Amino acid sequence: MAALDPRTLKLIESSQTAVIDAWVASLAQASQDGRTSQRELDVQVREFWRLFLGAMHAADAGNLQGREWDEIRHFLEDLSRERVLKGFSSSETATFIFSLKRPLFDVIQQANADSPVELARQLWAVSELLDQLGLHTVKAYQKTREEVIQRQQEEMLELSTPVVKLWDGVLALPMIGTLDSQRTQVVMESLLQRIVETGSEIAIIDITGVPTVDTLVAQHLLKTVTAIRLMGADAIISGVRPQIAQTIVHLGLDLQGIVTKANLADALALALKRTGLTVSKAG
């Protein structure tokens, strides 16, 4: 990457008031939805500018991975993380850097109007520098966004697999949606943890809300049942509808040894019976 001339650095520093004002005005115009206040924007601009000038004076502008650029990289990573949480897009986040080009270009152009070659060289150097900073901002944004999506998926999995205590010693796990390897792992961890916490003897897995059962889904169910048995508890699968029963038969799946019931009520009645309890109408 082309190096910035010391004279250009001095020029940029001496014109910082005009550059900052033009930069803030450009950012304010691009962000008028209230997600970032004018005060916040002003603080971010001035902090970045302080780090920016310091890094350019102390470091090689062609090597943004140097230690001298650590603070500015961390600043951009924090900025990207904050904007992800506020709902900004990647382009809106990168605009924070790219909108600085025009004010800097104007200053450099005025100072090198009589030297087209030097003008082109310095404009190219500043453009490359800001492009690299903008690229780092986008990468930080994407990384944070992926982390947020992953965390949301995990939270949704946990919410979609609640373990309910139906009675002393009886747990129920109503399942809704398709079973896959990741969800099965969450199911196992949640259910086994609750078995340990409550000392339950019976766990009912209700698949009424599972749209289809294929070989893969059946394998996941078998793994869950096996894990429950290893914890010293019994498992009952409820919600086996006629269509699911036919599918299991056609697929030749072996559910031998696993107790199944048509609905949750029948499974609960069986669980209570196994624990030595009976339900009867009052009076």
Side-chain angles (χ1 to χ4, degrees):
M1 187 170 78
L4 285 172
D5 188 271
R7 190 170 66 91
T8 300
L9 292 177
K10 186 175 181 180
L11 175 65
I12 291 174
E13 188 172 12
S14 64
S15 306
Q16 61 180 334
T17 300
V19 171
I20 291 175
D21 289 345
W23 185 21
V24 169
S26 177
L27 288 173
Q29 186 176 7
S31 179
Q32 298 179 343
D33 52 13
R35 285 175 294 180
T36 300
S37 67
Q38 184 63 40
R39 182 178 179 278
E40 289 176 318
L41 193 61
D42 189 66
V43 170
Q44 290 171 349
V45 164
R46 294 185 184 280
E47 177 63 13
F48 174 85
W49 184 258
R50 181 184 69 80
L51 297 173
F52 183 66
L53 285 183
M56 285 196 301
H57 279 294
D60 175 13
N63 180 21
L64 293 184
Q65 300 306 313
R67 286 182 301 175
E68 297 86 352
W69 293 93
D70 283 349
E71 283 191 89
I72 202 165
R73 290 200 307 271
H74 294 157
F75 171 87
L76 292 175
E77 290 162 8
D78 291 340
L79 176 75
S80 298
R81 186 177 300 107
E82 176 188 331
R83 296 204 165 196
V84 166
L85 298 178
K86 287 185 176 181
F88 283 83
S89 67
S90 58
S91 60
E92 288 173 326
T93 302
T95 298
F96 180 84
I97 295 296
F98 294 136
S99 59
L100 179 57
K101 280 190 175 184
R102 175 58 65 85
L104 288 179
F105 283 6
D106 288 344
V107 170
I108 295 173
Q109 187 173 10
Q110 292 173 9
N112 295 276
D114 57 344
S115 179
V117 174
E118 183 62 19
L119 171 63
R121 193 173 72 84
Q122 293 304 302
L123 288 178
W124 180 254
V126 170
S127 181
E128 278 194 309
L129 174 59
L130 293 180
D131 285 345
Q132 287 200 37
L133 291 173
L135 181 60
H136 183 79
T137 304
V138 172
K139 287 181 178 178
Y141 176 95
Q142 291 174 336
K143 181 181 178 181
T144 302
R145 184 62 181 156
E146 289 170 1
E147 291 173 353
V148 169
I149 292 174
Q150 179 66 26
R151 185 170 66 251
Q152 290 174 341
Q153 289 176 337
E154 292 173 355
E155 291 172 352
M156 290 179 65
L157 282 175
E158 293 175 358
L159 290 173
S160 64
T161 53
V163 181
V164 182
K165 183 178 180 180
L166 296 181
W167 204 269
D168 288 339
V170 181
L171 297 176
L173 177 66
M175 305 197 67
I176 300 174
T178 304
L179 280 175
D180 55 25
S181 299
Q182 183 180 9
R183 192 174 181 201
T184 301
Q185 185 64 32
V186 174
V187 167
M188 282 189 188
E189 292 176 359
S190 301
L191 187 53
L192 297 182
Q193 183 62 34
R194 286 288 286 164
I195 289 175
V196 172
E197 292 173 355
T198 62
S200 298
E201 302 173 356
I202 299 175
I204 301 172
I205 302 175
D206 184 67
I207 61 172
T208 303
V210 177
T212 58
V213 173
D214 54 18
T215 304
L216 185 60
V217 172
Q219 288 175 350
H220 291 320
L221 287 174
L222 289 173
K223 289 179 181 178
T224 304
V225 171
T226 301
I228 292 171
R229 288 175 172 173
L230 288 173
M231 296 297 296
D234 289 332
I236 301 173
I237 297 179
S238 66
V240 181
R241 305 184 298 279
Q243 299 89 334
I244 290 181
Q246 292 177 11
T247 301
I248 291 174
V249 171
H250 291 157
L251 292 174
L253 302 176
D254 183 15
L255 298 182
Q256 189 174 5
I258 300 177
V259 179
T260 60
K261 289 295 180 180
N263 53 61
L264 183 58
D266 291 342
L268 178 58
L270 176 59
L272 293 176
K273 182 178 179 180
R274 286 187 175 183
T275 56
L277 299 172
T278 57
V279 179
S280 59
K281 291 184 179 181

